Amino acid sequence: MTKAVPDLVTFGETMALFLPQEYKSIENAPTLDVSFGGAESNVAIGVARLGASAGWFGALGDDPFGRAIMKRIRGEGVDVSRASLISDAPTGMMFREMVAGKLAVHYFRKHSAASQMQPDQLDLDYIRGCKILHISGITPALSKNCRETIFAVVAAAKEAGVRISFDPNLRLKLWTIEEAREVVLPLAEQADYFLPGWDELRLLYNNDDFDGVKAELSKLSAISIIKGVGDTTVVLENGQAAEVPFYPVDRVIDTVGAGDAFCSGFLAGLLKGMSVLEAVRLGSISGALVVQMRGDWEALPDWASVERRLSDKGWVER
């Protein structure tokens, strides 16, 4: 019997992650913690923790890092049946530290297994069978063939009537803003849900005027979910804007992973039958919970945690 396709499918590069303890610099840290991170696998884990079915695929090196990552993602209840371990290319790596109070990320992902993904390696029936395909702008930044792969995935999804969620997730260490515009903006035109941050939109449209950017977004068929407009998320649908305030945070520990947590909450909300505004509120709660702990995906909440806050029930400490 063929295993059912998860409701959400996503794909991209997941890397081994190394970071010093207690926010030391890498140069002065005696040891490094080892984890993993990748925008798309973070989203898949978040969706699974919130009670919806999720699948992630991509290429990892057939090395200790790749094998460990595959096991951990699978262990979070995410379907990895279409992911692969490649013997002739390594798992990408990233090192993260704080430098003068600011986040610094160092990538070692050139010629990684994920950067070698090809369109002819895709299981298109798997993509056509899901309800929502989630993609990010990181994957096409990895290589020319990854760019071709993401457009092939989008074409297959649209052909089957699958809804497409797109987070541009700009990484200007991987490509220039000019290169990004040539790919990200056409992908936004294909999306049903476009999930940019306001800072990303200012770069993509080379415009600091919100009304001007809003006019550009109104040309898209997508519902645009604009994160970080002041202390709100702005939902733009059919030319009409609605604001959803950020969920309050007691103490910010680590902002890494907040955007992925927001996306996972939003997408899980849609899969649970929520309206767009309700799903955005769920995304806001998920993002708020993540920034109060450390880690790319470790702090992603489960359904009980967000449901308590959706219903405004208090936290019982003891």
Side-chain angles (χ1 to χ4, degrees):
M1 181 180 292
T2 303
K3 185 177 179 180
V5 176
D7 289 338
L8 176 111
V9 167
T10 185
F11 79 104
E13 179 167 41
T14 297
M15 295 175 289
L17 167 64
F18 301 86
L19 61 169
Q21 297 179 357
E22 300 175 356
Y23 298 99
K24 294 179 180 177
S25 68
I26 292 174
E27 186 175 351
N28 295 304
T31 60
L32 297 176
D33 289 337
V34 183
S35 183
F36 68 90
E40 298 84 4
S41 58
N42 292 348
V43 169
I45 291 170
V47 168
R49 285 190 180 180
L50 292 172
S53 59
W56 170 85
F57 68 90
L60 297 160
D62 189 3
D63 50 41
F65 302 116
R67 292 190 293 271
I69 290 168
M70 187 85 85
K71 290 175 184 176
R72 293 298 296 272
I73 297 175
R74 183 189 296 119
E76 287 292 330
V78 175
D79 177 38
V80 293
S81 60
R82 271 58 174 189
S84 57
L85 296 171
I86 297 176
S87 60
D88 58 355
T91 301
M93 296 188 291
M94 61 175 164
F95 294 75
R96 196 167 69 225
E97 63 180 337
M98 296 298 292
V99 177
K102 293 184 178 295
L103 181 69
V105 180
H106 312 281
Y107 292 127
F108 293 83
R109 64 201 308 178
K110 191 174 183 180
H111 305 305
S112 68
S115 72
Q116 299 183 33
M117 286 188 290
Q118 303 280 352
D120 59 7
Q121 297 169 345
L122 300 172
D123 181 347
L124 295 181
D125 287 337
Y126 186 72
I127 295 158
R128 295 184 185 112
C130 69
K131 293 179 180 178
I132 298 177
L133 168 72
H134 177 71
I135 58 174
S136 89
I138 298 173
T139 304
L142 298 177
S143 63
K144 181 177 182 292
N145 45 283
C146 280
R147 209 162 301 166
E148 295 169 352
T149 300
I150 204 164
F151 278 101
V153 170
V154 167
K158 291 193 74 68
E159 176 189 352
V162 173
R163 289 175 287 170
I164 297 170
S165 163
F166 177 41
D167 181 350
N169 236 321
L170 287 181
R171 296 290 186 269
L172 296 184
K173 283 192 173 185
L174 300 178
W175 55 2
T176 67
I177 188 60
E178 291 78 17
E179 291 171 321
R181 287 186 188 120
E182 293 180 3
V183 176
V184 169
L185 295 179
L187 285 173
E189 293 174 359
Q190 301 291 312
D192 296 281
Y193 307 104
F194 184 38
L195 296 146
W198 168 233
D199 287 343
E200 292 175 315
L201 289 176
R202 292 165 63 191
L203 291 169
L204 286 169
Y205 289 106
N206 194 26
N207 193 340
D208 291 332
D209 177 60
F210 182 78
D211 287 335
V213 173
K214 179 182 169 184
E216 293 294 333
L217 294 175
S218 295
K219 299 174 184 177
L220 303 176
S221 60
I223 298 172
S224 291
I225 316 295
I226 311 167
K227 299 164 285 185
V229 183
D231 292 329
T232 67
T233 298
V234 174
V235 179
L236 185 62
E237 184 175 6
N238 297 322
Q240 301 298 311
E243 295 184 356
V244 178
F246 285 174
Y247 191 79
V249 173
D250 295 326
R251 183 185 177 195
V252 175
I253 301 295
D254 186 357
T255 59
V256 172
D260 300 333
F262 177 93
C263 287
S264 65
F266 172 71
L267 295 169
L270 293 179
L271 292 170
K272 287 174 175 288
M274 294 181 178
S275 70
V276 170
L277 291 180
E278 290 170 336
V280 167
R281 184 167 180 247
L282 176 58
S284 180
I285 292 172
S286 185
L289 293 175
V290 161
V291 301
Q292 297 180 77
M293 294 178 67
R294 193 183 186 206
D296 275 43
W297 56 271
E298 292 87 343
L300 288 163
D302 59 18
W303 178 246
S305 298
V306 297
E307 187 178 36
R308 185 183 302 114
R309 289 156 178 85
L310 281 169
S311 59
D312 291 324
K313 292 179 181 178
W315 175 263
V316 180
E317 183 173 329
R318 62 173 86 183

